[in-house]
Amino acid sequence: MTHQLFIDGAYCDAASGQVFDVVDPSNRQVFAQVARGGAEDIDRAVTAARRAFDHGPWPRMSGAERAAVLRRMGDTIAARRDELARVEVQDNGKPLPEALWDIDDTAGVFHFYADLAERLDNAAVQDITLSVEGFTSKAVKEPVGVAGAIIPWNFPMLMASWKVAPALAAGCTVVLKPSELTPLTALELGRIAADAGLPAGALNIVTGFGPEAGQPLTEHPGVDKLAFTGSVPTGSRIMATAARDIKTVSLELGGKSPLVVFADTPIDEAVEWILFGIFWNQGEVCSATSRVLVEAPIYDALLARLTEEAQKIRIGHGLQDGVLLGPLVSPSQHEKVLAAIKRGKAEGRLVTGGGVPEGLEAGCYIQPTIFADMAEDSWIWREEIFGPVVCIKPFTSEADAIRMANDSRFGLAAAVMSADLDRAERVARAFRAGIVWINCSQPTFTEAPWGGYKQSGIGRELGEWGLNNYLETKQITTWDRHRPWGWYLKD
Ligand code: TXE
């Protein structure tokens, strides 16, 4: 099946007429083809988005009117959850229950931003108290303009919603560039939006590769704001390109997030959240807790139990019952993670896993993998692997745990487990990271801010922070003409 681009309210071929293959990672077989968008398609999409913003109804509608469209989009996504989740399984590899979770969250994100769009009708204007008499002033929030959104492959439809829903809620128009590895569910958003009554040009979707479609989007002078989730090198390139035109950017990049377990934590509880923190979604999660620090008295017992449970994880096709670990997203990600494991074997002790499970060689599968005894300056301890690979280390004091946790160029997420909530809170405050979990790891809520410190990014998505990404603030100040002024004209 061949899927087209979505530009100015209609599906169309790429200007070049070219397509590219979409591969099912469970068997490495091509199962769909998608239009290979390039600079010309990006230009058409940005032109449509620009026209829709400058002259179209979308930014001029009330928040309540925009909310009605967003709500209908959320309703359609919810109604099509099973079908969309199955596409996600084939495209990305993730187990069906996780794909269903993604689609439910996607619908929830559209509903949440529908509510915020409605509230914007009253919240968009804020009176300002001035210290000088004779003037009144107010701050008005307005949509930033045309937003270019570039997203990764680990949560294909959900990542689209994190950018598209708040941008549309704010009154922006959007050009979305999905990942070339998982373009299918994001492309469906075009049909869903058109059916919900979104005006033509308000959402455009151009599939294609980073250098061919992503780069022209970041360079296009018609784009006012760029929102990106992906790797640090690509984020850095996007930021440098955006600097040329002083475009606003928000970036959500990688991580090597620590999970600190104090000895007063029940071992089963810790094991449950460590497993979830690193093996959920095949470890292809920007906030995955891939570095685990365990207080020395329980280190050996915890590692033994963790190893036993990791070995029990059912690996297989995402549609099989009981599977908790599907294939990685693509042959290239599979190779990348296997290469990282090879490097890890030279730097630390491979406790379990590290290979391709027997009988599953046709797909991009990797066993749940645990490394121990690596040095603090080792590559495997410091770099993002983005696969089912966790590194574990003991610590002897709270100060030491905090020091090791923060000793990273990343600062996306961190977690702490302890029965002593005062201590947990103290450690949570000491982490240099944008997302901190206490006594759990990974649960993500549409209402709460999401984003990183340090090289993990700039800005926050989700919640009201996500909406603010797509709003400009304008000051409107009025002089009371009955008051004296006369700086130049004295009489
Ligand atoms: O990422 P890229 P890739 C990490 C993870 C993974 C590695 C590489 O470690 O192994 O990055 O993955 C588009 N201008 N993360 O290669 O390149 C690209 O088409 C504009 C962490 O998939 O960052 C895709 O749509 N756009 C991460 C998007 O950028 C460009 C999630 C992401 O691709 C571009 C994914 C360019 N020059 C990977 N080059 C997370 N933080 O969640 C590429 N793209």
Side-chain angles (χ1 to χ4, degrees), residues 150-154 177-181 208-211 214-215 218 228-231 234 237-238 252-254 286 333 336 384-386:
I150 300 176
I151 56 167
W153 41 261
N154 49 348
K177 211 295 280 171
S179 166
E180 56 274 33
L181 297 175
F209 294 91
Q215 186 70 23
T218 62
F228 172 75
T229 300
S231 64
T234 302
R237 191 171 306 127
I238 287 174
E252 203 265 79
L253 309 175
C286 50
Q333 188 65 16
K336 192 184 150 203
E384 181 175 58
I385 293 170
F386 227 64

Side-chain angles (χ1 to χ4, degrees), residues 187-205:
L187 260 181
E188 270 308 292
L189 276 178
R191 202 177 322 277
I192 292 165
D195 290 349
L198 188 76
L203 173 63
N204 308 272
I205 307 165

Side-chain angles (χ1 to χ4, degrees), residues 41-381:
D41 305 296
I42 289 290
D43 186 51
R44 274 197 297 148
V46 175
T47 303
R50 192 76 260 165
R51 195 169 45 235
F53 185 78
D54 292 338
H55 308 293
W58 187 249
R60 287 154 199 91
M61 284 179 177
S62 69
E65 287 168 319
R66 287 201 298 273
V69 174
L70 291 172
R71 228 164 253 142
R72 283 196 288 274
M73 289 179 73
D75 292 347
T76 308
I77 293 163
R80 292 177 58 186
R81 75 189 280 268
D82 196 58
E83 168 215 341
L84 290 166
R86 282 167 189 273
V87 174
E88 217 71 305
V89 170
Q90 193 170 22
D91 211 358
N92 168 278
K94 64 179 71 197
L96 183 63
E98 293 180 15
L100 286 165
W101 206 352
D102 280 15
I103 303 300
D104 290 344
D105 276 0
T106 304
V109 168
F110 277 94
H111 287 142
F112 176 81
Y113 282 106
D115 291 348
L116 287 203
E118 213 157 45
R119 266 200 263 151
L120 205 52
D121 280 338
N122 295 322
V125 180
Q126 189 193 335
D127 288 326
I128 297 168
T129 308
L130 300 176
S131 57
V132 173
E133 287 188 4
F135 297 88
T136 52
S137 193
K138 60 189 173 191
V140 181
K141 287 190 176 164
E142 296 182 344
V144 78
V146 173
I150 300 176
I151 56 167
W153 41 261
N154 49 348
F155 299 92
M157 200 175 201
L158 187 61
M159 286 298 105
S161 75
W162 281 23
K163 294 177 173 44
V164 170
L168 291 179
C172 290
T173 59
V174 181
V175 177
L176 171 69
K177 211 295 280 171
S179 166
E180 56 274 33
L181 297 175
T182 55
L184 298 182
T185 47
L187 260 181
E188 270 308 292
L189 276 178
R191 202 177 322 277
I192 292 165
D195 290 349
L198 188 76
L203 173 63
N204 308 272
I205 307 165
V206 179
T207 47
F209 294 91
E212 292 175 10
Q215 186 70 23
L217 181 58
T218 62
E219 286 171 0
H220 203 294
V223 173
D224 300 294
K225 191 233 150 53
L226 289 164
F228 172 75
T229 300
S231 64
V232 174
T234 302
S236 167
R237 191 171 306 127
I238 287 174
M239 197 174 166
T241 307
R244 292 211 297 250
D245 296 335
I246 321 289
K247 288 186 179 98
T248 317
V249 283
S250 45
L251 304 172
E252 203 265 79
L253 309 175
K256 187 80 177 181
S257 301
L259 192 170
V260 173
V261 184
F262 284 96
D264 56 358
T265 310
I267 285 190
D268 276 8
E269 251 175 58
V271 167
E272 168 67 27
W273 288 109
I274 296 168
L275 294 170
F276 192 68
I278 188 61
F279 298 132
W280 170 62
N281 211 53
Q282 293 69 244
E284 295 167 326
V285 181
C286 50
S287 58
T289 33
S290 48
R291 288 188 295 148
V292 176
L293 291 154
V294 181
E295 202 170 7
I298 62 163
Y299 177 79
D300 288 336
L302 187 148
L303 182 54
R305 181 102 171 89
L306 180 68
T307 307
E308 184 192 328
E309 291 301 322
Q311 288 166 348
K312 285 191 210 155
I313 290 176
R314 177 127 184 244
I315 311 169
H317 193 285
L319 293 181
Q320 273 169 16
D321 264 357
V323 160
L324 284 171
L325 195 74
L328 301 199
V329 70
S330 66
S332 63
Q333 188 65 16
H334 189 242
E335 269 171 37
K336 192 184 150 203
V337 175
L338 285 176
I341 290 171
K342 195 170 167 203
R343 200 162 171 174
K345 282 181 189 167
E347 291 182 324
R349 176 166 65 91
L350 177 67
V351 180
T352 185
V356 175
E358 239 181 82
L360 291 173
E361 292 81 359
C364 302
Y365 296 94
I366 294 186
Q367 294 164 322
T369 300
I370 302 174
F371 279 105
D373 304 335
M374 72 298 298
E376 265 183 69
D377 61 357
S378 61
W379 183 90
I380 193 97
W381 178 253

